[in-house]
Amino acid sequence: MIDLDSIWQDAFNNEVQRAAEREAEKSLWRKGGRATKDNPDKENGEWWATSGRQMFSDWVQWRNGNDWTIWVTPDGEPAIELNLMVPFADQIVKMGIDRVMLMPTGEMVILDLKSGQRTPTNDLQLAFYAAGLEKTYGIRANFGVYWMARTGTTSIPVALDKYPTTMIERIVADFAAQRDLGIYIPNLSHCSLCGVKEYCSWMSGEKAIIPIGTKGN
Ligand code: SF4
């Protein structure tokens, strides 16, 4: 009998420990979500200890409830948290793919695990992963999907053939060209989740050094 409680507890404790080692200043840790009547202190460690355990159970149930299997790379590595360094347009793009799975039909699905509330509104992340797999292994994934931990279900699978690798190459080339020119366009719809906003002039970040309107902002 598999002891899910101890698997969860060990994994949770290890992640907290790893986070503590990565982020020496604990004051920089942030709580997610909004303060609510039930969670006046937002989604803090206690919330994650309970809700994360539920998400883990839902994941196990979802995996047991379908016949998708984990794809194994040509190198013999199960495609679980598959870390790749992929050259695109003379740049190296680092990516970590949560899962690559196979349907019983043999079709390949890229699956990204999401613990946040919102389902992504575009497929760009999945498209990058498809291009990364193709460039690394010469294999094209058919579909991409988000597994939403708060509902225990997947988003609607998207066909990834509409995002050819040449498109991803072009996006990376354009990003690189912008960076070389010191052009950084703000993405104001994502600021609340941004990990570098303290450096961002658009958010009047404390550590921002380049005033808005100046090249390199
Ligand atoms: S805070 Fe600044 S860097 Fe972060 S998403 Fe917003 S505009 Fe972009």
Side-chain angles (χ1 to χ4, degrees):
M1 180 84 176
I2 297 172
D3 183 353
L4 292 181
D5 274 327
S6 55
I7 292 173
W8 159 257
Q9 206 54 60
D10 287 351
F12 187 72
N13 292 344
N14 286 342
E15 275 309 309
V16 171
Q17 177 69 30
R18 279 170 52 185
E21 286 165 6
R22 274 198 311 266
E23 196 74 82
E25 274 187 69
K26 209 167 175 182
S27 62
L28 293 177
W29 293 25
R30 67 187 170 86
K31 296 170 215 162
R34 281 177 297 180
T36 62
K37 196 172 165 201
D38 289 340
N39 301 305
D41 192 35
K42 301 188 181 180
E43 294 171 358
N44 57 15
E46 200 178 316
W47 185 91
W48 278 104
T50 307
S51 302
R53 172 69 180 86
Q54 182 62 48
M55 293 174 186
F56 173 54
S57 291
D58 291 345
W59 170 250
V60 171
Q61 193 175 351
W62 183 82
R63 287 283 283 118
N64 288 335
N66 67 54
D67 40 19
W68 293 13
T69 54
I70 299 290
W71 177 65
V72 177
T73 72
D75 313 318
E77 185 184 356
I80 299 172
E81 296 181 11
L82 189 61
N83 293 315
L84 302 178
M85 302 282 277
V86 189
F88 290 106
D90 298 327
Q91 311 293 318
I92 299 294
V93 176
K94 183 179 176 184
M95 56 181 78
I97 307 176
D98 287 337
R99 301 288 186 277
V100 184
M101 305 188 76
L102 292 175
M103 293 175 167
T105 55
E107 290 171 301
M108 181 181 278
V109 188
I110 293 170
L111 182 146
D112 190 65
L113 297 158
K114 293 285 181 217
S115 60
Q117 298 205 25
R118 285 191 217 144
T119 306
T121 52
N122 67 64
D123 311 323
L124 193 58
Q125 181 181 1
L126 300 168
F128 260 88
Y129 292 167
L133 283 177
E134 182 169 18
K135 293 208 71 157
T136 306
Y137 302 112
I139 293 168
R140 188 78 202 165
N142 305 90
F143 298 104
V145 77
Y146 296 109
W147 188 82
M148 302 306 299
R150 297 187 187 222
T151 59
T153 56
T154 62
S155 60
I156 297 169
V158 292
L160 294 175
D161 54 1
K162 61 184 168 185
Y163 303 111
T165 294
T166 49
M167 183 189 285
I168 303 303
E169 294 265 9
R170 174 62 191 268
I171 291 172
V172 174
D174 287 352
F175 275 145
Q178 283 188 342
R179 180 201 57 204
D180 293 347
L181 289 169
I183 298 170
Y184 296 99
I185 310 284
N187 184 0
L188 299 173
S189 61
H190 284 71
C191 301
S192 62
L193 298 172
C194 180
V196 295
K197 70 179 151 197
E198 65 188 314
Y199 298 93
C200 178
S201 306
W202 292 89
M203 295 299 283
S204 304
E206 282 172 23
K207 297 181 183 169
I209 51 173
I210 305 171
I212 287 176
T214 308
K215 201 170 140 185
N217 180 38

